[in-house]
């Protein structure tokens, strides 16, 4: 008897709807089909009943075997401390707005422009709005100290975050405020602020991995010449779920995303400004990898492309689902992307592919140093 495999496709309907922006039209991609893998045996029709019994027995044996294997693999030890369960936020299905903005050398203009975009996204139903990396300043080491704000000193010293706080409170939305140059004492950071629907600063993430690269003939940039690296991974509980925060280059380090997943994040937001060299190759690839590896949502937001700038951003702000599917994206011009997040999809995907139960805790571990030290 010859035994082979047949792949049966079951098309999944996507409930994600995309609303066109008055600034630019974004692109929504349908959810790819889920492939179901089933062993196919060539058996005469007259033995259908017997075949069904045999297949049922095989499935039962397989389930028992997988359960036994998972137990022996000690998956609970693959996360140290043990992974947290997903929390249950008050809102589990909502619209997200990604505001891909043109950035100029006029800081006041940038702040007003960002506020207008946030308001437009909220008008279109977004309960969570994400801004780009370094949206109030040109992206350059020369500009960082000039445009930097002392966030902890209050609204007068930080007009950019004062605007974010006010608009979050007035519109009753959560804002992941992209990033701005932050001055703290004699140090500068690349910092993202998260505000809740009451306008309160919920968390502040300082870029952990600084963008220091040298690709001869293409691009050389050393953030470390001017900026200081952050020291703390950031996970924040909001009305619309538990969110992990990374900034641009942070997305390249899968350990950070794995840590966020182990802390129970539903969504990771990466404000970023990939360039014209690495953007075409890695931007979408990294987003999908972080999402599918950790079975959660990933949202990115880039500045719009300015070909005349000293640093030219790739653009292509994107939302990726927990199966690695691109739910919404855009090109390089200014755009406001509106798409839907449904956290029930996380549970569904983790049931389809129970990776957490299959990790080899007997062979490897991810150690969350911060959580371990606090226990």
């Amino acid at each position: 008897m010859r035994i082979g495999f047949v792949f049966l496709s079951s098309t999944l309907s996507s409930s994600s709807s995309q609303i066109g922006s008055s600034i630019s039209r974004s692109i929504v991609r349908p959810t790819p089909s889920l492939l179901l893998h089933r062993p196919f045996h060539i058996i005469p029709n007259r033995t259908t009943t017997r075949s069904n019994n045999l297949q049922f027995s095989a499935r039962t044996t397989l389930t028992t075997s997988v359960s036994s294997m998972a137990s022996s693999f000690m998956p609970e030890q693959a996360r140290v401390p043990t992974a947290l369960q997903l929390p249950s936020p008050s809102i589990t299905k909502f619209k997200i707005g990604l505001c891909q903005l043109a950035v100029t050398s006029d800081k006041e203009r940038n702040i007003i422009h960002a506020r207008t975009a946030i308001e437009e996204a909220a008008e279109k139903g977004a309960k969570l709005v994400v801004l780009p990396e370094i949206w109030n300043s040109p992206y350059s080491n020369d500009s960082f100290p000039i445009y930097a704000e002392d966030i902890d000193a209050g609204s007068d010293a930080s007009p950019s975050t004062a605007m974010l706080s006010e608009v979050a409170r007035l519109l009753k939305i959560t804002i992941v405020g992209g990033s701005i140059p932050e001055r703290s004492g004699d140090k500068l950071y690349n910092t993202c602020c998260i505000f809740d629907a009451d306008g309160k600063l919920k968390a502040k993430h300082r870029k952990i991995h600084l963008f220091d690269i040298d690709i001869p003939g293409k691009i050389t940039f050393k953030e470390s010449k001017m900026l200081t690296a952050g020291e703390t991974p950031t996970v924040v509980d909001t009305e619309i779920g538990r969110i992990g925060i990374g900034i641009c280059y942070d997305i390249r380090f899968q350990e950070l995303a794995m840590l966020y997943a182990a802390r129970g994040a539903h969504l990771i937001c990466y404000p970023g400004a990939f360039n014209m060299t690495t953007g075409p190759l890695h931007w979408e690839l990294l987003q999908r990898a972080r999402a599918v590896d950790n079975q959660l949502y990933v949202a990115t937001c880039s500045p719009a492309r300015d070909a005349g700038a000293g640093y030219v951003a790739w653009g292509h702000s994107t939302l990726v689902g927990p199966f690695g599917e691109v739910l919404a994206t855009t090109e390089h011009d200014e755009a406001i992307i509106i798409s839907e997040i449904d956290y029930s999809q996380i549970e569904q995907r983790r049931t389809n592919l129970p990776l957490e139960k299959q990790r080899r805790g007997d062979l490897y571990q991810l150690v969350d140093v911060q959580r371990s030290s606090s226990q």
Side-chain angles (χ1 to χ4, degrees), residues 220-248:
T220 298
F221 202 100
K222 305 288 184 182
E223 274 189 332
S224 62
K225 286 185 176 180
M226 190 60 63
L227 301 177
T228 300
E231 298 293 336
T232 308
T234 305
V235 177
V236 55
D237 284 310
T238 72
E239 181 186 28
I240 47 79
R242 182 168 293 174
I243 304 174
I245 304 294
I247 299 174
C248 199

Side-chain angles (χ1 to χ4, degrees), residues 256-288:
L256 183 63
M258 292 167 64
L259 185 151
Y260 287 162
R263 291 188 184 186
H266 300 92
L267 163 71
I268 306 178
C269 291
Y270 292 100
F274 267 47
N275 55 76
M276 298 298 293
T277 299
T278 60
L281 291 171
H282 301 155
W283 180 233
E284 182 179 300
L285 171 68
L286 287 166
Q287 295 172 62
R288 297 185 68 192

Side-chain angles (χ1 to χ4, degrees), residues 99-291:
C99 299
Q100 184 165 292
L101 304 174
V103 178
T104 72
S105 59
D106 185 335
K107 184 176 182 178
E108 184 177 356
R109 185 262 183 200
N110 292 335
I111 294 173
I112 294 172
H113 189 52
R115 179 171 189 145
T116 301
I118 294 169
E119 291 171 343
E120 182 176 339
E123 287 175 2
K124 293 179 176 180
K127 300 300 292 183
L128 170 64
V129 176
V130 185
L131 295 186
E133 180 185 23
I134 307 293
W135 58 267
N136 71 344
S137 159
Y139 186 88
S140 73
N141 278 326
D142 292 338
S143 298
F144 294 152
I146 298 172
Y147 289 77
E149 300 179 3
D150 188 341
I151 296 169
D152 295 335
S155 59
D156 291 341
S158 183
S160 298
T161 58
M163 179 276 289
L164 296 178
S165 173
E166 180 181 34
V167 74
R169 175 178 56 83
L170 292 175
L171 299 177
K172 299 299 179 185
I173 60 174
T174 299
I175 296 178
V176 174
S179 76
I180 64 170
E182 179 197 10
R183 184 181 302 280
S184 181
D186 61 351
K187 294 181 179 179
L188 296 176
Y189 297 93
N190 186 342
T191 301
C192 175
C193 293
I194 301 90
F195 293 90
D196 67 11
D198 293 325
K200 296 179 181 178
L201 178 62
K202 295 285 292 183
K204 188 169 67 172
H205 177 78
R206 290 168 171 168
K207 189 173 186 177
I208 293 175
H209 305 93
L210 295 183
F211 180 61
D212 284 8
I213 71 166
D214 183 11
I215 303 176
K218 295 291 185 178
I219 182 171
T220 298
F221 202 100
K222 305 288 184 182
E223 274 189 332
S224 62
K225 286 185 176 180
M226 190 60 63
L227 301 177
T228 300
E231 298 293 336
T232 308
T234 305
V235 177
V236 55
D237 284 310
T238 72
E239 181 186 28
I240 47 79
R242 182 168 293 174
I243 304 174
I245 304 294
I247 299 174
C248 199
Y249 205 54
D250 285 339
I251 199 173
R252 288 192 176 274
F253 299 88
Q254 65 268 37
E255 297 88 349
L256 183 63
M258 292 167 64
L259 185 151
Y260 287 162
R263 291 188 184 186
H266 300 92
L267 163 71
I268 306 178
C269 291
Y270 292 100
F274 267 47
N275 55 76
M276 298 298 293
T277 299
T278 60
L281 291 171
H282 301 155
W283 180 233
E284 182 179 300
L285 171 68
L286 287 166
Q287 295 172 62
R288 297 185 68 192
R290 298 295 85 84

